[in-house]
Amino acid sequence: ETGVTQTPRHLVMGMTNKKSLKCEQHLGHNAMYWYKQSAKKPLELMFVYNFKEQTENNSVPSRFSPECPNSSHLFLHLHTLQPEDSALYLCASSLAGGEQFFGPGTRLTVL
Amino acid sequence: GQQVMQIPQYQHVQEGEDFTTYCNSSTTLSNIQWYKQRPGGHPVFLIQLVKSGEVKKQKRLTFQFGEAKKNSSLHITATQTTDVGTYFCADGSSNTGKLIFGQGTTLQVKP
């Protein structure tokens, strides 16, 4: 256990569905991250939030919409996804510039 | 854009043999971090290197940061089956806290 939790752990959705991934940390960290991990591109940074403000958007398609209501919670809202979006979505948190603590990930399958 | 190249992509060794993975950047890095991801797991922080020429050891693992701070290596002495997994290096130079990960080296250890 790293202190970073993610729900759900597995998700199967159709291309027309809307779903959300949730990440929570109570480590007192001020930065939170979303990564996509697939067989083709091992660890791709998607978004970075520092003190609830988005500081990085790594050219992510608009069908992925992040939300960070406070420093402990991070969401990734999904809508009209494509099959190629199937991957492991990892959340991480850190104190600025320090080691990152990863959650267990959500295994997403888009049918 | 920024890239961190990591080689080899895969390595199969006999238990007891040594293993090394290399990380190279075209730009000078302010720091480099190493992570390990077990099969089915999530990345776990191993170490951070900051100083030019720095060498750090953790039991059978030796981490090195090049003199020019453009390359790094992880060496495992006398591998064990518990060393199986993917090892990632990551460029931690950004002031937003984001990490740029290498492609990873997947280590298989035959007992």
Side-chain angles (χ1 to χ4, degrees), chain B residues 6-80:
Chain B
Q6 196 174 347
I7 56 169
Q9 190 174 359
Y10 299 98
Q11 184 86 59
H12 294 248
V13 299
Q14 198 71 41
E15 190 173 20
E17 291 181 339
D18 292 356
F19 158 77
T20 305
T21 173
Y22 301 91
C23 196
N24 293 288
S25 170
S26 58
T27 59
T28 302
L29 306 172
S30 62
N31 71 80
I32 194 157
Q33 298 182 20
W34 285 91
Y35 290 78
K36 176 184 178 181
Q37 184 173 18
R38 294 180 186 275
H42 55 271
V44 175
F45 174 80
L46 293 177
I47 209 158
Q48 178 173 281
L49 304 173
V50 179
K51 298 177 184 176
S52 167
E54 189 170 17
V55 178
K56 287 188 176 180
K57 293 192 175 186
Q58 291 179 352
K59 297 182 180 178
R60 294 178 294 104
L61 276 60
T62 301
F63 303 84
Q64 208 160 359
F65 203 6
E67 293 289 341
K69 299 181 73 172
K70 288 185 176 182
N71 57 74
S72 182
S73 65
L74 158 58
H75 180 83
I76 302 178
T77 305
T79 55
Q80 299 176 357

Side-chain angles (χ1 to χ4, degrees), chain A residues 77-93:
Chain A
H77 304 299
L78 317 171
H79 63 98
T80 58
L81 294 192
Q82 306 297 313
E84 59 264 30
D85 297 321
S86 299
L88 180 68
Y89 288 85
L90 290 159
C91 172
S93 71

Side-chain angles (χ1 to χ4, degrees), chain A residues 34-38 40-47 58, chain B residues 101:
Chain A
W34 279 117
Y35 289 89
K36 175 184 177 183
Q37 188 173 40
S38 61
K40 293 183 180 179
K41 293 188 179 182
L43 262 172
E44 288 179 84
L45 178 68
M46 300 175 73
F47 302 103
N58 203 25
Chain B
F101 280 85

Side-chain angles (χ1 to χ4, degrees), chain A residues 1-72:
Chain A
E1 286 294 330
T2 61
V4 180
T5 58
Q6 287 186 245
T7 54
R9 295 292 303 276
H10 300 271
L11 179 62
V12 179
M13 60 187 287
M15 289 190 284
T16 57
N17 291 160
K18 289 185 181 181
K19 296 287 184 184
S20 295
L21 310 185
K22 180 182 176 182
C23 177
E24 189 170 346
Q25 60 91 7
H26 294 288
L27 300 170
H29 292 167
N30 55 280
M32 296 188 77
Y33 313 82
W34 279 117
Y35 289 89
K36 175 184 177 183
Q37 188 173 40
S38 61
K40 293 183 180 179
K41 293 188 179 182
L43 262 172
E44 288 179 84
L45 178 68
M46 300 175 73
F47 302 103
V48 180
Y49 278 82
N50 279 279
F51 295 102
K52 303 189 302 177
E53 298 298 320
Q54 188 181 122
T55 53
E56 291 278 345
N57 177 338
N58 203 25
S59 302
V60 181
S62 59
R63 57 187 185 268
F64 295 91
S65 175
E67 179 191 359
C68 189
N70 54 61
S71 293
S72 299

